[in-house]
Amino acid sequence: MIDSLKVWVTNIAIAIFFITAVEMILPDNSIKKYAKFVLGIMLIVVIINPIMKVFDKNFNLDSYSSKATSYMEGSASKTDNEKYKNINIVNTTQNFKKNLENECITNLKEAYPENKYNADIKIVYDSKKGTYNINTVEIGVVDEGVKSVKNIEINTASVSTSNREILQDEQGNKIRKLLSSKLKVSNDVITVYKLNS
């Protein structure tokens, strides 16, 4: 018992000496706080290891760490990582799309407050480069006031109405130019159309 207590106190002293030496060598930058965190965890492990052996005679920190390492290197971990990566890509794409649409509407309202705007942006994730690319930008312009109704075609199979009129005039060109500069995309991917309210 005395020998194990002596080994425990010696291990704590060595760990504290090691931690102090490493902290003195570390430069004063953002990495220092992370290094202190890791060193603190090491000290906690050194202190707790013998206490855990009192409660569990078969406790071996090496076996737990080897199990964790084998899980991280195993196929189950890779499958889990791939699943979470795909979920993260989908969520990031949706958030990026929503933020870009809101930014487009805000920019257009500031530049041309006489109209209301709808935005629909298609985002594509490039897995090879790890980047998100803007595929298409569709902007709907709703003029204030009462608008005439477009022709409605009624078929026996379906009912359709065309409420999109592509704007190729000066207004459409101004909107395309503004969004092209703000989003850093080509004019070719931006479509501006008039919506009937």
Side-chain angles (χ1 to χ4, degrees), residues 92-102 119-123:
T92 304
T93 303
Q94 290 173 349
N95 289 334
F96 186 43
K97 171 184 166 57
K98 186 194 291 184
N99 289 338
L100 275 179
E101 289 172 349
N102 290 338
D120 184 24
I121 300 177
K122 302 288 188 274
I123 306 292

Side-chain angles (χ1 to χ4, degrees), residues 166-195:
I166 304 288
L167 293 177
Q168 299 292 341
D169 60 356
E170 184 181 351
Q171 181 186 20
N173 290 334
K174 284 181 182 178
I175 291 173
R176 274 191 288 282
K177 185 176 179 183
L178 174 72
L179 292 180
S180 176
S181 66
K182 293 282 187 183
L183 300 177
K184 308 280 191 269
V185 294
S186 169
N187 279 349
D188 299 337
V189 300
I190 301 172
T191 304
V192 181
Y193 58 91
K194 185 172 276 195
L195 280 174

Side-chain angles (χ1 to χ4, degrees), residues 3-155:
D3 289 336
S4 60
L5 184 62
K6 181 180 175 185
V7 168
W8 183 46
V9 171
T10 305
N11 286 343
I12 292 173
I14 290 171
I16 291 173
F17 177 74
F18 174 75
I19 289 169
T20 305
V22 169
E23 284 183 357
M24 287 180 4
I25 294 172
L26 284 173
D28 287 332
N29 59 17
S30 62
I31 295 176
K32 189 168 188 170
K33 65 179 177 182
Y34 299 111
K36 281 186 170 187
F37 175 74
V38 171
L39 293 171
I41 289 176
M42 286 175 49
L43 181 61
I44 290 171
V45 168
V46 168
I47 292 172
I48 290 180
N49 195 14
I51 296 171
M52 292 303 295
K53 286 185 179 179
V54 169
F55 295 109
D56 183 8
K57 299 289 183 197
N58 297 327
F59 177 76
N60 186 356
L61 187 62
D62 294 333
S63 68
Y64 286 109
S65 64
S66 65
K67 285 179 187 177
T69 303
S70 65
Y71 173 76
M72 294 302 278
E73 293 173 353
S75 63
S77 171
K78 290 179 184 174
T79 304
D80 288 348
N81 287 342
E82 193 64 30
K83 181 178 92 173
Y84 293 129
K85 178 182 174 185
N86 290 337
I87 290 171
N88 188 29
I89 288 170
V90 169
N91 290 339
T92 304
T93 303
Q94 290 173 349
N95 289 334
F96 186 43
K97 171 184 166 57
K98 186 194 291 184
N99 289 338
L100 275 179
E101 289 172 349
N102 290 338
E103 183 182 339
C104 285
I105 292 171
T106 302
N107 288 330
L108 289 170
K109 282 182 180 177
E110 288 174 2
Y112 311 109
E114 64 274 4
N115 298 320
K116 290 184 181 178
Y117 303 95
N118 293 334
D120 184 24
I121 300 177
K122 302 288 188 274
I123 306 292
V124 178
Y125 178 71
D126 185 355
S127 59
K128 292 180 183 175
K129 295 180 182 177
T131 59
Y132 294 90
N133 299 320
I134 299 173
N135 199 17
T136 62
V137 178
E138 294 184 356
I139 302 297
V141 179
V142 182
D143 286 332
E144 296 293 335
V146 178
K147 295 293 171 197
S148 61
V149 177
K150 290 282 184 184
N151 292 337
I152 298 175
E153 293 179 20
I154 299 178
N155 258 347

